[in-house]
């Protein structure tokens, strides 16, 4: 049990120490320019093709959900047939 605990401690220290060495480039100014530029696009579509695909997919799911809800409301409002 003691050896297992020691191994876990070493692995966690190694992971933490190597993670702090990684340097990421600060891209905030680039994104600020992109989102503040006046090109007539709404903010939720300024990210490019990925944003457009996500937006259209969301709209399709919303329309489908609304139609599905209306269908089930119509079906549940009809009286059941008596046999």
């Amino acid at each position: 049990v003691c050896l297992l605990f020691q191994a876990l401690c070493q692995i966690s220290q190694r992971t933490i120490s190597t993670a702090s060495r990684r340097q990421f480039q600060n891209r905030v100014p680039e994104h600020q320019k992109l989102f503040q530029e006046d090109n007539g696009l709404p903010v939720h579509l300024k990210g490019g093709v990925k944003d457009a695909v996500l937006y259209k997919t969301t709209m399709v799911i919303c329309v489908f959900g609304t139609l599905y809800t209306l269908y089930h409301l119509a079906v549940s409002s009809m009286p059941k047939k008596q046999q």
Side-chain angles (χ1 to χ4, degrees), residues 25-62:
Q25 183 180 1
N26 184 10
R27 295 190 177 180
V28 173
E30 295 172 22
H31 290 296
Q32 284 176 338
K33 276 185 194 173
L34 174 71
F35 286 104
Q36 289 177 356
E37 123 184 351
D38 187 21
N39 57 4
L41 287 174
V43 172
H44 59 274
L45 294 177
K46 285 190 178 188
V49 175
K50 185 172 74 170
D51 283 349
V53 169
L54 286 171
Y55 176 73
K56 289 178 184 176
T57 303
T58 303
M59 286 298 110
V60 167
I61 291 171
C62 288

